Coordinates of all heavy atoms in Angstrom, one line a residue:
A127 N 24.5 14.3 43.3 CA 24.8 14.4 44.8 C 26.4 14.2 45.0 O 27.1 13.7 44.1 CB 24.1 13.3 45.5
D128 N 26.8 14.7 46.1 CA 28.3 14.7 46.4 C 28.6 13.3 47.0 O 27.7 12.5 47.4 CB 28.6 15.8 47.4 CG 27.8 15.6 48.7 OD1 26.5 15.9 48.7 OD2 28.3 15.1 49.7
P129 N 29.9 12.9 47.0 CA 30.3 11.6 47.5 C 29.9 11.3 49.0 O 29.5 10.2 49.3 CB 31.8 11.6 47.4 CG 32.1 12.6 46.2 CD 31.0 13.6 46.4
L130 N 29.9 12.4 49.8 CA 29.5 12.2 51.2 C 28.1 11.8 51.4 O 27.7 10.9 52.1 CB 29.8 13.5 52.0 CG 29.6 13.4 53.5 CD1 30.6 12.4 54.1 CD2 29.8 14.8 54.2
T131 N 27.2 12.4 50.6 CA 25.8 12.1 50.7 C 25.6 10.6 50.2 O 24.8 9.9 50.8 CB 25.0 13.0 49.8 OG1 25.1 14.4 50.2 CG2 23.5 12.6 49.7
M132 N 26.3 10.3 49.1 CA 26.2 8.9 48.6 C 26.6 7.9 49.7 O 26.0 6.8 49.8 CB 27.0 8.8 47.3 CG 26.5 9.7 46.2 SD 24.8 9.3 45.7 CE 25.0 7.6 45.2
A133 N 27.7 8.2 50.4 CA 28.2 7.3 51.4 C 27.3 7.2 52.6 O 27.2 6.1 53.2 CB 29.6 7.7 51.8
A134 N 26.6 8.2 52.9 CA 25.7 8.2 54.1 C 24.4 7.6 53.9 O 23.7 7.1 54.8 CB 25.5 9.7 54.6
L135 N 23.8 7.6 52.6 CA 22.5 7.1 52.4 C 22.2 5.7 52.9 O 21.2 5.4 53.5 CB 22.2 7.3 50.9 CG 21.8 8.7 50.5 CD1 21.6 8.7 48.9 CD2 20.5 9.2 51.1
P136 N 23.1 4.7 52.6 CA 22.8 3.3 53.0 C 22.7 3.3 54.5 O 21.8 2.5 55.1 CB 24.0 2.5 52.5 CG 24.5 3.3 51.3 CD 24.3 4.7 51.7
A137 N 23.5 4.0 55.3 CA 23.4 4.0 56.7 C 22.2 4.6 57.2 O 21.5 4.1 58.2 CB 24.7 4.7 57.3
I138 N 21.7 5.7 56.6 CA 20.5 6.3 57.0 C 19.3 5.4 56.7 O 18.3 5.3 57.5 CB 20.3 7.7 56.2 CG1 21.4 8.6 56.5 CG2 18.9 8.3 56.6 CD1 21.4 9.9 55.6
A139 N 19.4 4.7 55.6 CA 18.2 3.8 55.2 C 18.0 2.6 56.2 O 17.0 2.0 56.2 CB 18.5 3.2 53.8
E140 N 19.0 2.4 57.0 CA 18.9 1.3 58.0 C 17.8 1.7 59.1 O 17.3 0.8 59.8 CB 20.2 1.0 58.7 CG 21.2 0.4 57.8 CD 22.5 0.1 58.4 OE1 22.6 0.3 59.7 OE2 23.5 -0.3 57.8
H141 N 17.6 3.0 59.2 CA 16.7 3.5 60.3 C 15.6 4.3 59.8 O 14.6 4.6 60.5 CB 17.5 4.3 61.3 CG 18.7 3.6 61.9 ND1 18.6 2.6 62.9 CD2 20.0 3.7 61.6 CE1 19.8 2.2 63.2 NE2 20.7 2.8 62.4
C142 N 15.6 4.8 58.6 CA 14.6 5.8 58.1 C 14.1 5.3 56.7 O 14.8 4.6 56.0 CB 15.3 7.2 58.0 SG 15.9 7.8 59.4
R143 N 13.0 5.9 56.4 CA 12.4 5.6 55.1 C 12.9 6.7 54.1 O 12.8 7.9 54.4 CB 10.9 5.7 55.1 CG 10.2 4.6 56.0 CD 8.7 4.8 56.1 NE 8.0 3.8 56.8 CZ 8.0 3.7 58.2 NH1 8.5 4.7 58.9 NH2 7.4 2.7 58.8
I144 N 13.5 6.3 53.0 CA 14.1 7.2 52.1 C 13.6 6.8 50.7 O 13.6 5.6 50.2 CB 15.7 7.1 52.1 CG1 16.2 7.2 53.5 CG2 16.3 8.2 51.2 CD1 17.7 7.1 53.6
V145 N 13.3 7.9 49.9 CA 13.0 7.7 48.4 C 13.9 8.7 47.7 O 13.9 9.9 48.0 CB 11.6 8.0 48.1 CG1 11.3 7.7 46.6 CG2 10.6 7.1 48.9
V146 N 14.7 8.2 46.7 CA 15.6 9.1 45.9 C 15.2 8.9 44.5 O 14.7 7.8 44.1 CB 17.0 8.8 46.2 CG1 17.4 8.9 47.6 CG2 17.4 7.3 45.7
T147 N 15.5 9.9 43.7 CA 15.3 9.7 42.2 C 16.7 9.8 41.6 O 17.6 10.6 42.0 CB 14.4 10.8 41.6 OG1 15.1 12.1 41.7 CG2 13.1 10.9 42.3
L148 N 16.9 9.0 40.6 CA 18.2 8.9 39.9 C 17.9 9.0 38.4 O 17.3 8.1 37.8 CB 18.9 7.6 40.3 CG 20.3 7.4 39.6 CD1 21.3 8.5 40.1 CD2 20.8 6.0 40.0
R149 N 18.5 10.0 37.8 CA 18.4 10.1 36.3 C 19.4 9.2 35.6 O 20.5 9.0 36.1 CB 18.6 11.5 35.8 CG 18.3 11.8 34.4 CD 19.1 13.0 33.9 NE 20.5 12.7 33.8 CZ 21.5 13.6 33.8 NH1 21.2 14.8 33.8 NH2 22.8 13.3 33.8
T150 N 18.9 8.5 34.6 CA 19.9 7.8 33.7 C 19.9 8.4 32.4 O 18.8 8.8 31.8 CB 19.4 6.3 33.6 OG1 18.0 6.3 33.1 CG2 19.5 5.6 35.0
P151 N 21.1 8.6 31.8 CA 22.4 8.2 32.3 C 22.9 9.2 33.5 O 22.3 10.3 33.6 CB 23.3 8.4 31.1 CG 22.7 9.5 30.3 CD 21.2 9.3 30.5
H152 N 23.9 8.7 34.2 CA 24.4 9.5 35.3 C 26.0 9.3 35.3 O 26.5 8.4 34.6 CB 23.8 9.1 36.6 CG 24.0 7.6 36.9 ND1 25.1 7.1 37.3 CD2 23.1 6.7 36.9 CE1 25.0 5.8 37.5 NE2 23.7 5.5 37.2
R153 N 26.7 10.0 36.2 CA 28.1 9.9 36.3 C 28.5 9.4 37.6 O 29.6 9.6 38.1 CB 28.8 11.2 35.9 CG 28.7 11.6 34.4 CD 29.6 12.8 34.2 NE 29.5 13.2 32.8 CZ 30.2 14.2 32.3 NH1 30.9 15.0 33.1 NH2 30.1 14.5 31.0
L154 N 27.7 8.7 38.3 CA 28.0 8.2 39.6 C 29.1 7.1 39.4 O 29.1 6.3 38.5 CB 26.8 7.5 40.3 CG 25.7 8.4 40.7 CD1 24.6 7.6 41.3 CD2 26.2 9.5 41.6
P155 N 30.1 7.1 40.3 CA 31.1 6.0 40.2 C 30.4 4.6 40.3 O 29.4 4.5 41.0 CB 32.0 6.3 41.5 CG 31.8 7.7 41.7 CD 30.3 8.0 41.4
G156 N 31.1 3.7 39.8 CA 30.5 2.3 39.8 C 30.3 1.8 41.2 O 29.3 1.1 41.4
D157 N 31.2 2.0 42.1 CA 31.0 1.5 43.5 C 29.8 2.2 44.2 O 29.1 1.6 45.0 CB 32.3 1.7 44.3 CG 32.8 3.2 44.3 OD1 32.2 4.0 43.5 OD2 33.7 3.5 45.1
A158 N 29.6 3.5 43.8 CA 28.4 4.2 44.5 C 27.1 3.6 44.0 O 26.2 3.4 44.8 CB 28.5 5.7 44.1
E159 N 27.0 3.3 42.7 CA 25.8 2.7 42.2 C 25.6 1.3 42.8 O 24.5 0.9 43.1 CB 25.8 2.7 40.6 CG 24.5 2.0 40.1 CD 24.5 2.0 38.6 OE1 25.3 2.6 38.0 OE2 23.6 1.3 38.1
R160 N 26.7 0.6 42.9 CA 26.5 -0.8 43.5 C 26.1 -0.7 44.9 O 25.2 -1.5 45.4 CB 27.9 -1.5 43.4 CG 28.2 -2.0 42.0 CD 29.4 -3.0 42.0 NE 30.6 -2.3 42.4 CZ 31.4 -1.7 41.5 NH1 31.1 -1.7 40.2 NH2 32.5 -1.1 41.9
A161 N 26.6 0.3 45.7 CA 26.1 0.4 47.1 C 24.6 0.8 47.2 O 23.9 0.3 48.0 CB 27.0 1.5 47.8
L162 N 24.2 1.7 46.3 CA 22.8 2.0 46.2 C 21.9 0.8 45.9 O 20.9 0.5 46.6 CB 22.5 3.1 45.1 CG 22.8 4.5 45.5 CD1 22.5 5.4 44.3 CD2 21.9 5.0 46.7
R163 N 22.3 0.0 45.0 CA 21.6 -1.2 44.6 C 21.5 -2.2 45.7 O 20.5 -2.8 46.0 CB 22.1 -1.8 43.3 CG 21.9 -1.0 42.0 CD 22.3 -1.7 40.8 NE 22.0 -1.0 39.6 CZ 20.8 -1.0 38.9 NH1 19.8 -1.8 39.4 NH2 20.6 -0.3 37.8
A164 N 22.6 -2.3 46.4 CA 22.7 -3.3 47.5 C 21.7 -2.8 48.6 O 21.0 -3.6 49.2 CB 24.1 -3.4 48.0
A165 N 21.8 -1.5 48.9 CA 20.9 -1.0 50.0 C 19.4 -1.2 49.6 O 18.5 -1.5 50.4 CB 21.2 0.5 50.3
A166 N 19.1 -0.9 48.3 CA 17.7 -1.0 47.8 C 17.3 -2.5 47.9 O 16.1 -2.8 48.2 CB 17.6 -0.4 46.4
A167 N 18.2 -3.4 47.5 CA 17.8 -4.8 47.6 C 17.6 -5.3 49.0 O 16.8 -6.2 49.2 CB 18.9 -5.6 46.8
T168 N 18.4 -4.8 49.9 CA 18.3 -5.3 51.3 C 17.0 -4.9 52.0 O 16.3 -5.7 52.6 CB 19.5 -4.7 52.1 OG1 20.7 -5.1 51.5 CG2 19.4 -5.2 53.6
S169 N 16.7 -3.6 51.8 CA 15.4 -3.1 52.5 C 14.9 -1.9 51.7 O 15.3 -0.8 51.9 CB 15.7 -2.7 53.9 OG 16.7 -1.7 54.0
G170 N 14.1 -2.3 50.7 CA 13.6 -1.2 49.8 C 13.3 -1.7 48.4 O 12.8 -2.9 48.3
A171 N 13.5 -0.9 47.4 CA 13.3 -1.3 46.0 C 14.0 -0.4 45.1 O 14.2 0.7 45.3 CB 11.8 -1.3 45.7
W172 N 14.4 -1.0 43.9 CA 14.9 -0.2 42.8 C 13.9 -0.3 41.7 O 13.6 -1.3 41.1 CB 16.2 -0.8 42.3 CG 16.9 0.0 41.3 CD1 16.5 0.2 40.0 CD2 18.1 0.8 41.4 NE1 17.4 1.0 39.3 CE2 18.4 1.4 40.2 CE3 19.0 1.0 42.5 CZ2 19.5 2.2 40.0 CZ3 20.0 1.8 42.3 CH2 20.3 2.4 41.1
L173 N 13.2 0.9 41.4 CA 12.1 0.9 40.5 C 12.5 1.8 39.3 O 13.0 2.9 39.5 CB 10.8 1.5 41.2 CG 10.4 0.8 42.4 CD1 9.2 1.5 43.1 CD2 10.0 -0.7 42.2
S174 N 12.2 1.2 38.1 CA 12.5 2.0 36.9 C 11.2 2.6 36.3 O 10.1 1.9 36.3 CB 13.1 1.1 35.8 OG 14.4 0.6 36.3
M175 N 11.3 3.9 35.9 CA 10.1 4.5 35.3 C 9.7 3.9 34.0 O 10.5 3.8 33.1 CB 10.3 6.0 35.1 CG 10.5 6.8 36.4 SD 9.0 6.9 37.4 CE 7.9 7.7 36.2
P176 N 8.4 3.4 33.9 CA 8.0 2.9 32.6 C 7.7 4.0 31.6 O 7.5 5.2 32.0 CB 6.8 2.1 33.0 CG 6.2 2.9 34.1 CD 7.3 3.4 34.8
P177 N 7.7 3.7 30.3 CA 7.2 4.7 29.3 C 5.8 5.1 29.5 O 5.0 4.2 29.9 CB 7.6 4.1 28.0 CG 7.5 2.6 28.2 CD 8.0 2.5 29.6
M178 N 5.4 6.2 29.1 CA 4.0 6.6 29.1 C 3.3 5.9 28.0 O 3.7 5.9 26.9 CB 3.8 8.1 28.9 CG 2.5 8.7 29.2 SD 2.5 10.5 29.0 CE 1.1 10.9 30.0
P179 N 2.1 5.2 28.3 CA 1.4 4.4 27.3 C 1.0 5.3 26.1 O 0.7 6.5 26.3 CB 0.2 3.9 27.9 CG 0.6 3.9 29.4 CD 1.5 5.1 29.6
P180 N 1.1 4.8 24.8 CA 0.7 5.6 23.7 C -0.7 6.3 23.8 O -0.8 7.5 23.4 CB 0.8 4.6 22.5 CG 1.8 3.6 23.0 CD 1.6 3.5 24.4
D181 N -1.7 5.5 24.3 CA -3.0 6.1 24.4 C -3.0 7.3 25.4 O -3.7 8.3 25.2 CB -4.0 5.0 24.9 CG -4.3 4.1 23.8 OD1 -4.0 4.4 22.6 OD2 -4.9 3.0 24.1
A182 N -2.3 7.1 26.5 CA -2.3 8.2 27.5 C -1.5 9.4 26.9 O -1.9 10.6 27.2 CB -1.6 7.7 28.8
A183 N -0.4 9.1 26.2 CA 0.3 10.3 25.6 C -0.5 11.0 24.6 O -0.5 12.2 24.5 CB 1.6 9.7 24.9
A184 N -1.3 10.2 23.7 CA -2.2 10.9 22.8 C -3.3 11.7 23.4 O -3.6 12.8 23.0 CB -2.8 9.8 21.9
A185 N -3.7 11.2 24.6 CA -4.8 12.0 25.3 C -4.2 13.3 25.8 O -4.8 14.4 25.8 CB -5.3 11.2 26.5
L186 N -2.9 13.2 26.3 CA -2.3 14.5 26.8 C -2.0 15.5 25.6 O -2.2 16.7 25.8 CB -0.9 14.1 27.4 CG -0.1 15.2 28.0 CD1 -0.9 16.1 28.9 CD2 1.2 14.7 28.6
V187 N -1.6 14.9 24.5 CA -1.4 15.8 23.3 C -2.7 16.5 22.9 O -2.8 17.8 22.7 CB -0.9 15.0 22.1 CG1 -0.8 15.9 20.8 CG2 0.5 14.5 22.4
R188 N -3.8 15.7 22.9 CA -5.1 16.4 22.5 C -5.6 17.3 23.6 O -6.3 18.3 23.3 CB -6.2 15.3 22.3 CG -6.0 14.6 20.9 CD -7.1 13.7 20.6 NE -7.1 12.5 21.4 CZ -6.4 11.4 21.2 NH1 -5.7 11.4 20.1 NH2 -6.4 10.4 22.0

Side-chain angles (χ1 to χ4, degrees):
D128 60 285
L130 184 63
T131 297
M132 296 300 300
L135 280 175
I138 301 171
E140 293 179 4
H141 306 280
C142 302
R143 296 174 177 84
I144 308 176
V145 184
V146 302
T147 67
L148 178 65
R149 188 205 66 199
T150 56
H152 56 74
R153 289 187 178 180
L154 295 180
D157 55 349
E159 181 177 349
R160 284 192 292 272
L162 277 179
R163 289 187 177 274
T168 301
S169 56
W172 186 288
L173 304 176
S174 296
M175 290 295 300
M178 195 176 201
D181 286 346
L186 178 56
V187 172
R188 282 188 291 274

